[in-house]
Structures are given as C-alpha cells and as structure tokens.
Amino acid sequence: MIRIVEDLGGDWRRLDERIDCVTEEIEQLARGTESCRQLMTVPGIGPIIASAMVAAIGNGASFAKGRDFAAWLGLVPKQMSTGDRTILGRISKRGNRYLRTLFMQGARVILLRPVNWAKHSFGPWLTAAAKRLHHNVLATALANKLARIAWTILAQRRNYEARLIADVA
C-alpha cells in the first residue's frame, strides 16, 4: 500500500511539473503578443484569459460592441418581455463556456480584495453593488463589466486606463 501511495505521489508531482511547463508556455506566448499584453493591463485578466480571448475572437471585429461580446459569452441576463413589462432572469450561459468561466474567476479574484477596488476605479460601483447584490450576482456583474472592458481594449487596441470604466459603463 505504501508503494502504491508513493507511486501516486510521484505521478502527482510529475503532473504538477507538466502543468507548470504548460503555464510557462502560455505566459510566454501571451507576453509575445501585443493584444494579449494590452488585455493583461486589465485587473483580473492574466495571461490565460488574455490568450484564450485572443484565440476565441481575434481582434474583436466580429462584435459591434462590448455588450454583444458579453452576450456571446453568456454573461447577460435572459430577457422575458411581454408588452411594456421587462423581466430580467438568470444569465443565459450560452456561448463560450470556457471563456465565461475564466472571466468569472477573474471577477472573483478582484472581489477577494476590496482594498484594491478603488485603485482600479471599481471602488464606488463595487461598494454600492456589494451592499445590494448577492456575492454570486455581484461576481457575474463584474465579469460582465470585465468582458466589456476587455473587448473595448481589444477592439480599440489600447491599454487599460481607469477612466475606461466610465466609458464602458
């Protein structure tokens, strides 16, 4: 039994080494691409999200605006409307599941450190939203905002600036 557990431990260590190698390759590729470098200036977006986004949508020209990209990811609520009454439901969860998951994880990372919210100009919006929204709904709203910001950066070929949040919101 001890030998089997030692073999499994060795397999685990080799798997960790392989994951580290692949992660390093992704980081090097992301640093070598201008689009990825620009995307990585956005808080919550690192090399994995940036490279996945560039791989999925290229330069973002296939979307007319950031909301279209967020809808394609499935980060906007389903709309059920009758007459003059609009009811917003759950997020649609359509589109690219992997990229949507990455944006949700990026949003959750930002939410872990409320001290840094003001540094990235998320402070007033996140503070107000945190008081009235459930933490999962808040993470989804922030992921939606991050996706819109990321699309804007990709489509306009510029780096993230704190004032960009006001332009997208």
Side-chain angles (χ1 to χ4, degrees):
M1 186 63 141
I2 292 173
R3 194 176 72 239
I4 292 173
V5 171
E6 287 175 353
D7 287 343
L8 290 174
D11 290 345
W12 192 337
R13 283 187 290 281
R14 283 189 292 281
L15 186 59
D16 281 343
E17 291 169 6
R18 180 68 182 134
I19 289 171
D20 291 340
C21 290
V22 171
T23 302
E24 184 62 33
E25 284 180 38
I26 291 171
E27 289 174 359
Q28 287 176 357
L29 289 171
R31 282 188 220 113
T33 308
E34 181 63 27
S35 299
C36 290
R37 280 195 307 268
Q38 289 171 338
L39 284 171
M40 288 189 295
T41 61
V42 178
I45 295 182
I48 293 176
I49 297 175
S51 60
M53 186 172 168
V54 169
I57 66 168
N59 63 0
S62 55
F63 301 102
K65 53 189 171 200
R67 189 186 194 291
D68 294 341
F69 173 62
W72 178 76
L73 283 178
L75 287 172
V76 295
K78 285 184 181 178
Q79 185 174 348
M80 297 160 277
S81 302
T82 59
D84 62 340
R85 198 172 118 184
T86 302
I87 301 169
L88 297 177
R90 298 178 175 181
I91 62 170
S92 63
K93 293 187 182 176
R94 296 178 185 238
N96 192 325
R97 182 178 185 179
Y98 176 67
L99 201 52
R100 181 179 59 249
T101 302
L102 290 177
F103 272 104
M104 287 297 293
Q105 290 300 320
R108 290 185 192 283
V109 166
I110 291 174
L111 291 175
L112 285 176
R113 294 193 174 83
V115 176
N116 295 339
W117 291 356
K119 183 173 85 173
H120 301 298
S121 296
F122 292 132
W125 177 78
L126 269 177
T127 304
K131 290 178 184 174
R132 60 185 168 78
L133 297 175
H134 187 271
H135 59 90
N136 289 334
V137 175
L138 181 63
T140 305
L142 182 57
N144 185 342
K145 186 176 277 289
L146 287 176
R148 289 176 173 207
I149 291 169
W151 177 86
T152 302
I153 285 174
L154 199 57
Q156 296 178 1
R157 302 181 197 280
R158 63 181 191 180
N159 289 336
Y160 170 79
E161 299 168 12
R163 66 176 177 80
L164 185 62
I165 291 175
D167 297 343
V168 174

